[in-house]
Amino acid sequence: MMKYNSTQDKSKAVLSAQAIAQGISQDGGLFVPESFPQISEKELKSMLSMSYQDRAKLIMGKYLTDFTADEIADCVDSAYTVEKFGSENPAPIATVEFNGEELNLLELWHGPTCAFKDMALQILPHFLTKSLQKVGGGKDAVILVATSGDTGKAALEGFKDVEHTKIIVFYPMNGVSAMQKHQMNTQEGDNVYVCAIRGNFDDAQTAVKKIFTDPATAAVLNENNMMFSSANSINWGRLLPQIVYYVSAYCDMVNMGKVAFGDKINITVPTGNFGNILAGYYAYEMGLPVKRFICASNSNNVLTDFIRTGVYNKNRDFYTTVSPSMDILVSSNLERLLYCMSGCNDEETKGYMELLKSEGVYTVSTKIKEKLQSMFWGGYADEDATARTIHDLFEQQGYLCDTHTAVAVSVCDAYIRETADKTPVVIASTASPYKFSRAVLSALNKGKMPESEFDMVEQLHEITGADVPKPLASLRGKKARFSDVTDKEDMQGVVFGALGIQ
Ligand SMILES: *Cc1c(COP(=O)(O)O)cnc(C)c1O
């Protein structure tokens, strides 16, 4: 059976159902698989002719060894349907030429909320329900989410009306796009609650983590027959589904004739909390032929500096950008990479995390730095570069990308120019451009900006002809259900209130 250890206390070892139900380890560490199951060359070859769903079942089966094959199949087949993702393959590749280089955009935003978070959050509720049956002791799960925009909506949509679950979402009042806010505030479902906080995403995430790991709060929930679980990307059930699409993308690249079987690819990921790119790295650890991960940041470029210097320093200005889902200075999942690259050293990992908490800065060992730099390349795109990329890609190819994807395209372009590395590259395209219509439309620079978000959507459609995703179009005129705002100090009270606990 595959066990999961805590990054801060290796002696903890739980099965996947426990890791998923619990979300985070009690010591504050993150659950990681004790070892990486391998994908043999033969297996990878066999996956070439498989559907996305069958590839998912094969890979997930290697990690969820306390689930039956039927249970896994049930989760996969309920999540990745044509109805929810628009086609058999939920993660298709679009090839474009940008500044003379061929880029393969892995479009991860065809799900119900039009961002890549759906790839994990459509399946997580199924994992969680089954995990609770195994280890939940009849308790209801309370899903607490801190979101920089896309996770919140994707989690709400994934968990709405799922039995034995309640979901509470906090988002930074001024840190999300108008469309993101509208998506969340109009959420349907009897088990959902949404609240804005005065503060930024890091404030929300820190407060949620604190509520989550507070023993007194856990005791109160326990008395009420509830337990916390997490839908944030620290939950193992979020990361696992993301490993799948990198393996699947490799297979599709081979099938499309973009790479010879067995040859390496590069992978570029627009990065915030480091979950998406970490999943790619885990795929590499499983044996996927990858040469290098290009970690793309926006002006909040703490990861760029980290990869280049080995010093992680969050003591810096925080910028609110047009790619809000990457406006993050504390990338939670980096902890898992440090654990991995330190050779599963829990003491060392814990030391870095404690320094981050107390000083806001830590310097990794030479060993980690060298390993890091051999596999990762960091770069960032500021607001101008992001806008220019959206504009140029559309002018050159008639392809419309969102602000986050534009950051990745821009950094990937810089990487190719700087290194002359011609390895075929896959770029994670993480959101529909219509989710960020204001920034995308203004980047195209085509005259006067309309007032309302939905008029911007319409104008963007008129200019580009790109389809407006139905889930966004249907929000027009929908009434908001939620409008609460709280201070971060009061979040715990808000949680109890939403749960009906006095
Ligand atoms: C969440 C998100 C990201 C960042 O992904 P991480 O896993 O947090 O690094 C990038 N782009 C979009 C559109 C997102 O929603």
Side-chain angles (χ1 to χ4, degrees):
M1 286 269 188
M2 166 75 78
K3 292 271 179 50
Y4 293 79
N5 301 129
S6 162
T7 48
Q8 298 191 26
D9 180 1
K10 228 161 108 169
S11 69
K12 291 244 169 66
V14 301
L15 295 174
S16 72
Q18 184 72 37
I20 291 168
Q22 220 175 300
I24 189 169
S25 184
Q26 268 135 10
D27 49 81
L30 309 184
F31 287 117
V32 286
E34 60 185 351
S35 64
F36 292 103
Q38 295 300 298
I39 304 170
S40 68
E41 202 181 299
K42 199 171 139 222
E43 248 174 342
L44 190 58
K45 197 158 243 169
S46 76
M47 271 192 254
L48 293 178
S49 58
M50 286 184 195
S51 66
Y52 186 91
Q53 291 73 8
D54 285 343
R55 290 169 185 164
K57 289 169 200 171
L58 198 161
I59 293 162
M60 290 172 178
K62 290 174 182 287
Y63 285 101
L64 306 176
T65 53
D66 49 335
F67 284 57
T68 65
D70 280 350
E71 285 173 329
I72 295 171
D74 188 44
C75 292
V76 169
D77 292 333
S78 312
Y80 303 117
T81 62
V82 175
E83 195 203 352
K84 285 176 175 160
F85 284 87
S87 69
E88 274 307 323
N89 183 355
I93 291 175
T95 302
V96 297
E97 213 177 281
F98 182 66
N99 295 347
E101 301 294 340
E102 189 177 278
L103 308 177
N104 302 286
L105 297 165
L106 176 60
E107 294 180 346
L108 300 169
W109 42 263
H110 292 286
T113 76
C114 310
F116 90 94
K117 306 289 198 293
D118 288 327
M119 296 300 296
L121 282 163
Q122 280 299 313
I123 197 165
L124 179 68
H126 299 287
F127 284 160
L128 186 68
T129 318
K130 289 192 167 50
S131 297
L132 287 174
Q133 284 162 9
K134 294 176 197 292
V135 301
K139 291 198 184 67
D140 285 357
V142 177
I143 316 294
L144 218 49
V145 180
T147 184
S148 55
D150 291 330
T151 297
K153 177 61 183 181
L156 288 162
E157 198 56 38
F159 278 98
K160 78 166 177 216
D161 294 329
V162 172
E163 278 188 28
H164 300 297
T165 69
K166 289 195 163 63
I167 174 162
I168 301 171
V169 171
F170 293 100
Y171 68 88
M173 191 168 70
N174 298 318
V176 302
S177 81
M179 182 65 88
Q180 287 177 314
K181 194 179 281 192
H182 194 55
Q183 276 187 304
M184 288 189 276
N185 286 340
T186 55
Q187 179 64 44
E188 295 170 4
D190 289 335
N191 62 339
V192 306
Y193 177 75
V194 176
C195 185
I197 75 147
R198 296 184 190 90
N200 62 32
F201 169 70
D202 287 319
D203 296 328
Q205 175 159 265
T206 305
V208 159
K209 233 179 149 175
K210 204 169 137 210
I211 296 172
F212 209 89
T213 47
D214 175 34
T217 311
V220 173
L221 254 70
N222 198 33
E223 281 163 27
N224 289 275
N225 207 30
M226 299 178 199
M227 64 183 274
F228 278 133
S229 189
S230 158
N232 274 86
S233 65
I234 51 173
N235 192 314
W236 172 245
R238 281 278 304 273
L239 278 177
L240 177 56
Q242 299 181 239
I243 298 175
V244 174
Y245 52 69
Y246 289 109
V247 179
S248 184
Y250 184 85
C251 294
D252 291 345
M253 286 282 284
V254 172
N255 288 340
M256 291 161 76
K258 303 283 179 199
V259 66
F261 182 82
D263 284 1
K264 292 180 177 176
I265 58 169
N266 284 340
I267 293 175
T268 306
V269 185
T271 296
N273 225 358
F274 211 77
N276 201 4
I277 196 166
L278 181 78
Y281 182 77
Y282 278 7
Y284 158 77
E285 286 282 352
M286 295 177 77
L288 195 72
V290 181
K291 180 176 176 196
R292 183 150 276 157
F293 291 94
I294 298 150
C295 177
S297 300
N298 62 25
S299 298
N300 296 293
N301 57 359
V302 58
L303 286 166
T304 309
D305 291 345
F306 174 63
I307 292 166
R308 294 187 179 179
T309 64
V311 179
Y312 194 97
N313 188 352
K314 71 159 187 153
N315 302 321
R316 58 177 73 212
D317 290 338
F318 177 90
Y319 300 103
T320 300
T321 73
V322 291
S323 45
S325 299
M326 297 157 66
D327 290 346
I328 293 175
L329 294 180
V330 180
S331 301
S332 301
N333 272 296
L334 190 62
E335 179 172 342
R336 286 184 159 114
L337 186 75
L338 297 177
Y339 180 81
C340 190
M341 291 193 156
S342 67
C344 303
N345 190 327
D346 51 354
E347 285 297 318
E348 187 178 341
T349 308
K350 189 174 174 172
Y352 296 139
M353 291 306 111
E354 279 173 357
L355 278 171
L356 183 62
K357 226 181 261 165
S358 61
E359 313 294 323
V361 54
Y362 61 84
T363 305
V364 293
S365 68
T366 314
K367 178 179 136 188
I368 292 183
K369 186 178 157 186
E370 280 170 3
K371 224 169 170 180
L372 181 70
Q373 291 178 341
S374 72
M375 279 312 293
F376 287 82
W377 192 89
Y380 75 99
D382 63 15
E383 300 288 89
D384 281 348
T386 306
R388 207 179 325 117
T389 303
I390 292 170
H391 176 268
D392 292 356
L393 183 56
F394 182 72
E395 293 296 322
Q396 289 176 26
Q397 295 280 295
Y399 184 91
L400 195 63
C401 78
D402 95 292
T403 47
H404 305 74
T405 306
V407 167
V409 169
S410 170
V411 170
C412 187
D413 186 53
Y415 170 80
I416 294 169
R417 241 147 271 289
E418 211 170 301
T419 61
D421 182 358
K422 298 285 181 191
T423 306
V425 62
V426 169
I427 299 179
S429 171
T430 50
S432 158
Y434 287 104
K435 250 189 131 158
F436 304 94
S437 295
R438 174 185 293 278
V440 172
L441 186 57
S442 97
L444 294 182
N445 205 6
K446 304 257 190 216
K448 203 167 156 277
M449 287 290 283
E451 296 265 321
S452 95
E453 185 78 8
F454 286 98
D455 288 339
M456 292 177 204
V457 169
E458 212 151 275
Q459 187 162 331
L460 202 50
H461 174 67
E462 273 164 27
I463 294 170
T464 65
D467 290 336
V468 183
K470 270 199 213 83
L472 296 183
S474 69
L475 284 182
R476 183 162 205 162
K478 199 164 173 177
K479 248 186 94 166
R481 290 180 66 200
F482 302 101
S483 57
D484 293 350
V485 183
T486 184
D487 288 318
K488 60 188 180 216
E489 294 76 19
D490 299 335
M491 280 167 62
Q492 166 144 27
V494 170
V495 169
F496 284 156
L499 296 175
I501 296 174
Q502 296 311 311

